[in-house]
Amino acid sequence: MIRCMAIDDEPLALQQIAAYIGKVPFLELAVQCQSAVEAKKFLEHDTVDAIFCDINMPDLNGMDFVKSLTVPPLIVFTTAYAEYAIEGFKVNAVDYLLKPFGLQDFQRAALRLKDLVELTKAKDQGDLTKTKDLQDDSIFLKTEYRIVKVNISDIRYIEAMSEYLKVYIENEQKPIVTLLSMKKMEERLPDFFMRIHRSFMINLNKIQEVNKNRVIMDSNTYLPIGDMYKEAFQTYLDTKFLGK
């Protein structure tokens, strides 16, 4: 069970969150608070796994409350103000529910909490094999104000843009844009991914053709092979090449 705290200064909104928590089998409501100050006092002597927190509250708003926590639990913000989404992203919020939201939106956020709790438990146990099994060979990427689960085998290629990465997924029109370094991504991905350029890393299983100094991923995608990566890429090709 995931122990939850609900915080909202509006009684009806607080009742709604409590009711939604009661409808999700793997969530347990530990406490309801009508202010961030009240919530902070509770956390001085108890813990929770997740907090559903309103942002616009008197005395201490939800954003400042979360920032004040030394080791914050998983956070889902609930607010009527869309402009807080970027700030929620900066404090690692799992999700951002824009009021008024329904049970389906709430359940979506709850499932993200569940995935992250399972991932954290596996990491805490130091069982990397179990982590991979739990995630079905997947990773989590933060994009905008959401955290999304991505199947590694569905990644076609990755493009670096300054401090961000564009992750191109099979059968998805738009890439996932995430604040992450290419080096960090390279360390996490399995050996069927290879860096072919300082700005590009590809899924070797998705290559359609190699033409001179370019890798062709599909009819519209031609990726350059950088000079410093040519030798390693050619070595890979040699192991797969059949013919004279």
Side-chain angles (χ1 to χ4, degrees):
M1 296 291 284
I2 301 173
R3 280 171 51 83
C4 301
M5 168 184 282
I7 312 172
D8 202 304
D9 62 313
E10 298 177 7
L12 290 178
L14 188 60
Q15 288 176 21
Q16 181 193 50
I17 296 171
Y20 284 170
I21 289 173
K23 292 180 179 181
V24 179
F26 52 83
L27 297 184
E28 175 189 1
L29 181 61
V31 63
Q32 300 180 52
C33 300
Q34 287 192 265
S35 72
V37 175
E38 182 184 344
K40 202 161 188 177
K41 289 179 180 178
F42 176 87
L43 292 176
E44 288 175 359
H45 59 79
D46 209 335
T47 60
V48 294
D49 302 308
I51 298 177
F52 291 87
C53 183
D54 186 27
I55 294 179
N56 194 26
M57 295 185 291
D59 298 326
L60 179 63
N61 72 47
M63 197 69 65
D64 290 337
F65 162 68
V66 171
K67 290 177 182 178
S68 74
L69 300 177
T70 306
V71 184
L74 298 173
I75 305 295
V76 176
F77 283 120
T78 62
T79 181
Y81 301 92
E83 61 268 24
Y84 286 118
I86 294 176
E87 283 191 71
F89 172 72
K90 290 179 181 178
V91 297
N92 298 321
V94 173
D95 209 341
Y96 178 95
L97 293 172
L98 187 62
K99 297 178 181 179
F101 55 86
L103 179 58
Q104 187 174 359
D105 293 326
F106 185 88
Q107 288 173 328
R108 182 198 68 225
L111 286 172
R112 288 185 181 142
L113 286 175
K114 183 174 181 287
D115 283 339
L116 287 174
V117 167
E118 289 177 349
L119 177 63
T120 301
K121 285 180 179 178
K123 282 185 175 179
D124 288 345
Q125 292 166 1
D127 189 348
L128 296 180
T129 301
K130 183 178 178 182
T131 302
K132 289 182 179 179
D133 289 341
L134 279 171
Q135 302 311 313
D136 191 26
D137 197 23
S138 62
I139 56 176
F140 287 90
L141 296 176
K142 186 182 297 179
T143 179
E144 297 175 342
Y145 58 86
R146 301 176 296 123
I147 294 177
V148 297
K149 183 179 179 180
V150 176
N151 291 327
I152 290 174
S153 59
D154 289 339
I155 298 174
R156 296 176 59 239
Y157 67 96
I158 299 161
E159 179 182 1
M161 307 183 308
S162 185
E163 297 178 341
Y164 290 82
L165 296 180
K166 282 185 175 180
V167 182
Y168 292 82
I169 309 296
E170 196 79 49
N171 299 321
E172 295 290 341
Q173 292 185 347
K174 293 183 179 180
I176 294 172
V177 179
T178 185
L179 179 61
L180 194 65
S181 70
M182 187 69 94
K183 181 180 178 182
K184 192 74 173 178
M185 180 67 87
E186 198 171 9
E187 290 172 352
R188 175 62 182 86
L189 293 178
D191 57 8
F192 57 84
F193 282 84
M194 179 177 284
R195 192 90 169 261
I196 60 166
H197 188 277
R198 65 178 300 178
S199 298
F200 293 101
M201 180 162 50
I202 63 171
N203 183 338
L204 297 169
N205 297 327
K206 304 294 183 182
I207 296 174
Q208 287 191 0
E209 186 179 332
V210 179
N211 189 333
K212 296 182 180 179
N213 292 325
R214 298 182 304 178
V215 173
I216 301 173
M217 306 300 289
D218 57 50
S219 59
N220 298 313
T221 308
Y222 297 73
L223 304 180
I225 303 172
D227 290 340
M228 65 182 295
Y229 301 95
K230 282 182 180 178
E231 184 176 350
F233 186 63
Q234 186 60 52
T235 299
Y236 164 76
L237 290 179
D238 290 344
T239 66
K240 300 292 183 179
F241 186 73
L242 296 179
K244 297 181 180 179

